[in-house]
């Protein structure tokens, strides 16, 4: 968790000079006000029409009716009349480095952090001011996170887990093991180690005490939160850790003041994780191809205040997948998953919008044959998947304000960052998105991004990503 | 469990005519007495020198000093002066049909029960009057069991589990999945179904209630006891069922008056099974290649009176395996296993002798390259492995009487058959082995089989197996 | 080659009693006459309307106008008014045992000759009185051939090559090598040896002299003719033998009074075989996926009187294949093949109807996914493929009488059996097919089989096959 | 072939100042003399003791007794008293880029010429002033060759063939096809195309005319000579091209004034290549694992003046290979190969020293398990293999002067460069090696390299390679 900053609460009077919407980013330290827009705060009961949001030193310092906010002299102004202001969007579960193919692993070895940065810029461009990376290489993620936090590069604010505890690395049986035979063992080992960092499959042989010691060490490596596998990654009904070991992992995370989440893919491994005390269930809507999650389990989630990141897809996409469904795909899982999502809405589970997205290598993507997965309401395409996920939640009947919360305040709260991000309350970090159309009227309006403000400064979204490497590859690359 | 028969207790006077040791099997119904031998009953404090065991109608009716046992007129006599009588030996964990290669599966389809019979005759020949088959095809096992029980064929008394609940069949990923591509799907399906019978991997997706219903159905198929996988079969650290599902399986077994055991291969899956209430841990000495089972767990086993079938191997075999150890073998598991066995002896766990043996296809065996596994103190060779296991227990320092119990009374008790088999008490089924040398002096003396008596009749061990099919195959078969 | 028998030439007077068409097969030795039909002899200039064919002792003894043929007393009569008589059909290239799947190889080991017999009965049922098996297991083929020739079983007259010289057996890289890992080496070896008989791939390492010695030995094993691979079986552009080695093989075949044919699949290996002096090119219409055979090569075939067995398929089938064409199939080869067939017709090459057919295992066939290959104008289905091939030749514009010759007299001549079979001349073996409709009007009329006469006796085609084993398997077999 | 330069023939008087042996490379254009050494010219009848070699403008201008050679003023002098001068060594068959593993292919894409340069520097360092690269990527080889020829980088003089006509590229079935599944098709295609350049396997489908057209085009791409596959690369007994197509390839090469050689691996493909008129047989000592090349074929080689590059290995290496011989290796081929080498010596075939060497990726090499191939008298190690090959020829009984010729004048003559390189005649390019010990006394003395002179200038061999990339990789690279 990031350190909790003192929250400024003063409401100041509003005085400002009109600024063009296309105005350049404000200078560092210069106050900024967005005025004239409808302010939609997920934590507020009602929206503020013709409102204003004043930001100083990276924080929101005042929110209110346009006339009721005092704007200091020299404040930069964004005239947002007719537009809509929401908190910066988030993704509770994505992967800024998801390129496990040998071509990328070899070609960009030593430069993975550049791909992470590129990814974080694509997410920022699409309105996501904060993203939660739930599996990736530790050092590159840390480096990119720190560069962004230090203002050395633009990008979404990153929190990351590093490895999923209990999983082996990219060139292991958990991912692309069959590729390992085609490169040196030295390369395999250092690639896997970039992910595993002592938290791989070997832990499954261990006693609770030994696992605890390993996790304790891992919490000191610079990761922001913990994620472990309650389910196996490869054969999705297998369980990785006994309940008592799961409990140890959770306790070690909490001891280090970190939230703990788990990868589960079956009804029973989900139940075990709940009993073990996790804070978040990652893609908790995936419970296998056969049986949906019982309502009894849903109620446990609500009672214990456990949030669930979900992977909603549109009916149109589900239809496309079913039509083009080759053997062995996840389509039956997504079908059951949709039922689980509906049950969660019914039960009142705190659902966190997520995508599992990453930058797919464009050449490899173009060469893969599955038509539907590439073209219809894509889920895992970075900078695009979350728009489709928001629309899918709408299809499922989720209330408009709840949809907004699933992408903002719920995520902040689940990750225990509710004092920093996820709402438009004074004192919060000044992460805003200005939309041309009202997102509460239609989820597709989240796409109508007019401007993105992060840390109280307007982002030059047209320039993102600033140094594209992999997202622009052509067929002959 | 078999129905508990009324136990005859009458001690009758001993009168008999001397019979040659090589006498033919007694006629049905004819009483039989073994006289002059040292009687070693695992449940007795001391042995009886120059003792006699009288058997009538398949039961032991009197045991005592030779002069103290009344022998009815017409009783057939085995003069066993200088010899040693022990209860019939047992194997707590073997596989009478273990031939998963395509050649055998195809060639003998519809005749697997003949292979089961052949196996049960080889075990009987080696002194095992009762065997517990812990994984195999249901119908062939039932057919062979019933034929033997009905006296239609000689053979060890069989109790069997059928499938290991949670495992898929022989031509699945759990065993020989890669072979499935080379035969018809129809063949694959009916072969797998011969084992699975509705208790395969799909159960891992299910809720406790659904699993319970499936198990309830399975208990009605004719199996004698239940066995389920707490660990996965293929990647041995994965866990197959949550603790609450394991508990449901145990409860369903007990409801059907069956003992329940589990396949575990890791420290944690073992602990889960203990908590779930199982009666027996199958090869509970296998806990992975890294960490032995904690003494705390050993104590739980003792406190809750849970028996553990073990797979002891001699140091000589272990050395041979280590020397010829190709990558990916079980040798590190056996090394840790030996440490676990020692800890069990120390803790006083009820250990059950077992081998996992089956009839290997002799041609395939000869073609396999692993030298050590074929020639040095073999473990899984049917009719041979248990002798080596007994010697291995001796090496580990187990007391002589405890070794005998591990192969007789402990097994009977673990399977809740202590009122029927496993000792030489009057009323027990008359299963005896007469040895030339004293097994309490050296475990190798278990090999000195002079005669085997089952159900009160002497077995013609020279004739076994009576119609060999697979155990005699030559290189060009 | 079969020994050339003295040809009876006497024309006897026709006297007969009318017999029902459905009359039972004539007694051995009893003369038989077919009368009233249009007699179509591929070697005659014109058909004989209302003709008669008299058969005695297995030979045709007279052919002519019904009134001009003297029929001995006691002659059995088939009244075939309105029908059409042609010589028994042939297939120049099929495989009576084509079941290389492990299930069949294992299950029927020792009984392959029964499958060969079943196949030969299915071909006979479909009008093929003689078939040329160009690849199969030597001993089973010899046994079936000899049983049929001895009258011990019904079936098409068989001539066979055994192995294709230079190919390894069924469980080698040439066919199903990847299956070999799933059975014993002993089984692999004896299965491969059943085909190879010393004429496998190893010959490719050898000098011409060594190859010659091996072939000389092989000609003494009971095969009827020789076939060798000029092209490799697996990667179809590779060449197996140098031209001088090919010449040695041809010479050894001719020395043993055998015809010699070759498997070629490329333009260049075809040319090499021509230069080496072969008698027949097997499926000489297959020249790869790219380039058709040059007309210059076609002219060589004509000048040197080399016959070519072809695999014609209908346009409808070709379309179906192209539509459902998965990667890696032979469809492009068939497309080029069709062009080659047209060029052969243009050049006047002696084309021999062939199918490469065999009895596919019905269960495996049903499980295979390629729709087109199973349902549209099948090529390799035994008893069916040749009808489609005849129709395909018609589509290609071949003259009706030439189509008939491609399935009768051309094949007989190519195999140097023109004095025995392939025409309706007196002295020939009495193999006839009686059709309901005129095959010269439409090739589909070859399907209108009314009766089949072999060796001068009517075949009970309704009863064929007499003991079906594999052609009748159901999904659960 | 390189253009034939006008040969200077003037003998000038010798005047010189003594220079230190360790003197720096002479300035461009400065004459150089080596004096005092024993001059061993493979084309001369006797050696010249206390001789001198004068070099001007990159050519040898005078050779003779030290006192008989006029040395111009300003000539740089190498005092080589007690040493031995031979022509620069050559390798008739190596591969300057032999790194087909994905790691290298991906990491160094676009930089292969740097690896080629590094390799050419390692060969130069070991005394090889000219090397013949018989398979590799065209553009990188051309670039490195041209840079060396232009004096932009040091390195052995390179002549190269590019692709072996009829072979597909590195990520095809001919080499590492199974790796192709792990990278993009785009990468596979452009990698393969870097080698194939329109001369791949597809040619095997073609008619002679089409192949001729393809070769004609290929001769214009900048390659120095042609090499085609008479044998297949993967299954070594298959033949790739008919004799008439082979003849067309040879003719097209000769038409373009290029020598033509062929890859053969069987007795018969060798004979076909001889008949087709090739100039050189590449590793013509490899004729499979069974049969040596008949003496009749050896005589053909002599009569038609066809040179054979050979791969001699020492008996010590052969023993090591046989001891550690895993299934599927080339050891039986090398055993037969040694017999072929002996037969060639007996028959008087012009044998060309060759190694098939390349820079193995050191990390991959260290990880590979074959002990013998890495440590005992290595054959394919660049800069080392030719020394072992020279020793192996000595073991086989080849005369000392003939050994020298096999590495110098024979190679020059076979490649039709005898007017440029391969001897110490005046007019030749001034490529020399100065040895400390007499190579005619023991072949191991070729290792005693004192100095290397190329193009009349002393090479700074201590500095080679100048910018090592791949030859220095460490285990963690």
């Amino acid at each position: 968790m990031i350190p909790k900053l003192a929250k400024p609460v003063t409401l100041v009077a509003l005085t400002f000079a009109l600024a063009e919407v296309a105005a350049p980013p404000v200078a560092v330290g210069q106050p900024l006000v967005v005025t004239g827009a409808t302010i939609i705060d997920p934590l507020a009961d009602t929206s503020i029409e013709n409102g204003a949001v004043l930001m100083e030193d990276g924080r929101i310092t005042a929110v209110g009716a346009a006339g009721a906010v005092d704007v200091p002299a020299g404040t930069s102004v964004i005239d947002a009349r007719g537009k809509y202001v929401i908190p910066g969007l988030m993704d509770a579960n994505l992967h800024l480095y998801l390129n496990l193919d040998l071509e990328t692993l070899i070609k960009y070895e030593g430069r993975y952090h550049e791909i992470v940065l590129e990814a974080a810029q694509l997410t920022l461009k699409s309105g996501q001011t904060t993203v939660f990376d739930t599996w990736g290489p530790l050092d590159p993620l840390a480096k990119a996170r720190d560069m962004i936090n230090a203002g050395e590069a633009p990008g979404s604010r990153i929190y990351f887990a590093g490895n999923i505890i209990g999983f082996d690395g990219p060139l292991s049986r958990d991912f692309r093991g069959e590729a390992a035979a085609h490169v040196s063992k030295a390369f395999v080992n250092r690639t896997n180690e970039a992910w595993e960092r002592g938290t791989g499959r070997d832990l499954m042989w261990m006693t609770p005490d030994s696992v605890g010691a390993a996790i304790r060490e891992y919490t000191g490596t610079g990761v922001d939160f913990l994620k472990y596998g309650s389910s196996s990654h490869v054969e999705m009904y297998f369980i990785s850790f006994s309940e008592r070991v799961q409990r140890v992992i959770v306790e070690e995370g909490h001891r280090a003041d970190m939230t703990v989440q788990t990868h589960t893919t079956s009804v029973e491994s989900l139940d075990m994780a709940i009993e073990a005390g996790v804070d978040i269930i990652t893609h908790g809507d995936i419970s296998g191809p056969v049986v949906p999650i019982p309502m009894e389990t849903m109620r446990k989630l609500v009672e214990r205040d456990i949030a669930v990141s979900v992977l909603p897809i549109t009916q149109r996409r589900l239809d496309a997948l079913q039509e083009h469904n080759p053997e062995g795909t996840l389509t039956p899982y997504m079908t059951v998953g949709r039922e689980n999502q509906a049950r969660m809405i019914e039960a009142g589970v705190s659902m966190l919008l997520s995508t599992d997205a990453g930058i797919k290598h464009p050449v490899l993507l173009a060469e893969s044959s599955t038509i539907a997965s590439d073209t219809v309401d894509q889920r895992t395409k970075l900078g695009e998947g979350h728009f489709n996920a928001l629309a899918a939640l709408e299809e499922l009947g989720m209330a408009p304000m709840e949809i907004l919360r699933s992408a903002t305040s719920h995520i902040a709260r689940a990750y225990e960052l509710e004092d920093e991000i996820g709402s438009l309350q004074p004192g919060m970090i000044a992460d805003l998105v200005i939309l041309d159309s009202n997102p509460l009227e239609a989820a597709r309006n989240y796409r109508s991004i007019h401007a993105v403000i992060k840390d109280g400064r307007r982002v030059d979204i047209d320039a993102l990503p600033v140094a594209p490497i992999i997202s622009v590859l052509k067929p002959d690359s």
Side-chain angles (χ1 to χ4, degrees), chain A:
Chain A
M1 280 172 297
I2 58 171
K4 312 271 169 61
L5 304 182
K7 285 169 287 180
V9 291
T10 320
L11 286 168
V12 292
L14 177 71
T15 64
F16 60 88
L18 278 172
E20 288 298 311
V21 169
V26 292
V28 176
Q30 188 182 9
L32 174 66
V33 71
V34 175
T35 185
T38 302
I39 312 295
I40 308 175
D41 182 354
L43 298 188
D45 290 339
T46 56
S47 302
I48 305 172
E49 297 195 14
N50 188 22
V53 182
L54 178 64
M55 296 161 274
E56 294 172 284
D57 293 328
R59 296 269 163 178
I60 294 171
T61 47
V63 179
V69 173
D70 275 349
V71 177
T75 293
S76 189
V77 177
I78 295 177
D79 178 358
R81 281 174 293 186
K83 304 194 184 302
Y84 301 83
V85 173
I86 57 174
L89 296 171
M90 304 179 193
D91 191 321
N93 165 36
L94 50 57
H95 308 291
L96 298 167
Y97 185 92
L98 194 56
N99 305 88
L100 309 186
D101 64 285
L102 285 185
E103 228 169 313
T104 309
L105 285 174
I106 293 168
K107 188 170 176 181
Y108 296 104
E109 193 184 11
R111 296 176 57 194
Y112 299 161
H113 65 282
E114 296 181 48
I115 293 178
V116 172
L117 281 176
E118 185 175 358
Q121 291 164 6
L122 291 171
T123 52
L124 181 58
K125 187 185 186 97
S126 70
Q128 296 179 310
T129 48
T130 304
V131 295
F132 297 85
D133 186 299
T134 65
W135 182 72
L138 200 155
D139 290 337
L141 283 163
K143 184 165 185 180
R145 172 195 64 187
D146 295 346
M147 286 176 70
I148 291 169
N149 286 347
E152 296 166 14
S156 299
R157 187 175 293 105
I158 298 172
Y159 296 93
F160 74 91
N163 194 32
I164 299 173
I165 294 159
F167 286 15
D168 275 351
L171 297 176
S172 76
R173 283 166 299 177
D174 273 320
F175 297 92
R176 305 277 180 96
E178 68 294 341
H182 301 285
V183 286
S184 67
K185 290 187 186 68
F187 180 78
V188 170
N189 290 343
R190 67 178 185 266
T191 300
N192 284 341
E193 183 55 19
W195 269 254
E196 296 173 13
R197 302 294 291 259
T199 66
R201 284 190 169 200
D202 276 351
L203 294 187
M204 289 191 272
W205 291 124
M206 301 294 169
T207 59
D209 284 352
S210 306
V211 174
I215 302 309
R216 208 146 44 234
E217 187 165 351
Y218 188 64
T219 57
T221 57
V223 300
D224 295 305
F225 58 93
L226 293 188
K227 180 179 177 186
Y228 72 90
S230 176
S231 295
S232 155
H233 192 241
V234 281
E235 304 205 68
M236 295 170 63
Y237 32 46
F238 285 129
I239 293 161
S240 298
F241 292 113
S242 68
E243 206 170 300
R244 67 181 190 178
V245 166
Q246 296 195 30
R247 199 168 294 121
V248 164
I249 297 171
V250 171
E251 284 164 5
E252 288 299 334
H254 288 172
R255 181 172 304 171
D257 209 14
M258 290 176 172
T259 64
V260 182
Q261 61 188 286
T262 188
H263 169 103
T264 79
T265 49
S266 73
V267 165
E268 287 304 292
S269 94
L270 169 59
D271 185 79
M272 289 172 75
I274 292 171
E275 296 295 332
V278 295
D279 304 302
I280 301 173
I281 309 287
T282 323
H283 50 66
D285 47 339
I286 304 299
S287 68
V290 184
V291 177
I293 300 163
M295 284 308 289
E296 177 199 341
T297 307
M298 296 297 182
R299 281 188 292 270
K300 272 198 206 177
L301 290 166
V302 174
E303 285 160 15
R304 306 188 189 190
D305 196 17
I306 298 171
V308 177
S309 74
V310 290
L311 297 170
I313 59 173
T314 63
Q315 186 63 47
R316 195 165 147 255
R317 177 169 184 78
L318 190 57
D319 292 345
L321 287 173
Q322 282 167 336
E323 186 180 354
H324 296 282
N325 186 25
E327 234 179 298
T329 68
L330 286 180
T331 304
Y333 296 75
M334 302 312 285
T335 308
V336 172
R338 201 167 161 86
E339 186 172 347
N340 286 332
Q341 293 151 12
R343 289 177 172 213
M344 285 180 192
I345 292 172
E346 183 191 339
V349 172
S350 175
M351 295 165 75
L352 314 182
L353 181 132
S354 78
T355 59
D356 253 343
I359 311 179
K360 299 284 173 64
H361 190 297
V363 174
L364 289 165
L365 192 63
E367 289 178 359
S368 74
S369 60
T370 323
I371 294 162
S373 66
D374 298 347
T375 59
V376 179
D377 293 354
Q378 291 155 293
R379 174 171 68 86
T380 58
K381 184 178 180 185
L382 208 73
E384 162 69 21
H386 62 303
F387 293 133
N388 295 318
L390 289 160
L393 290 175
E394 183 180 60
E395 275 185 20
L396 283 163
M398 186 181 275
M401 199 52 139
E402 187 68 9
I403 294 174
L404 177 59
R405 288 183 197 118
S406 78
T408 55
S409 58
H410 281 348
I411 296 179
R413 184 159 176 274
Y415 281 97
E416 298 184 7
L417 293 165
E418 66 271 28
D419 294 340
E420 302 292 337
I421 54 174
S423 73
L424 298 177
Q425 300 292 310
M428 306 299 283
I429 290 173
D431 291 353
L432 272 63
V433 175
I434 306 176
L435 300 172
D436 288 327
S437 307
N438 187 352
L440 301 185
E441 281 179 5
R444 70 172 173 277
N445 291 340
Y446 283 101
R447 290 175 177 275
S448 66
I449 293 177
H450 176 77
V452 174
I453 294 169
K454 175 164 175 272
D455 288 316
R457 295 168 61 193
R458 184 169 185 172
V459 175
D460 181 5
I461 57 177
D462 293 336
L464 294 178
V466 294
I469 299 168
I470 195 170
S471 65
V472 296
L473 290 176
K474 298 272 167 46
D476 60 349
S477 303

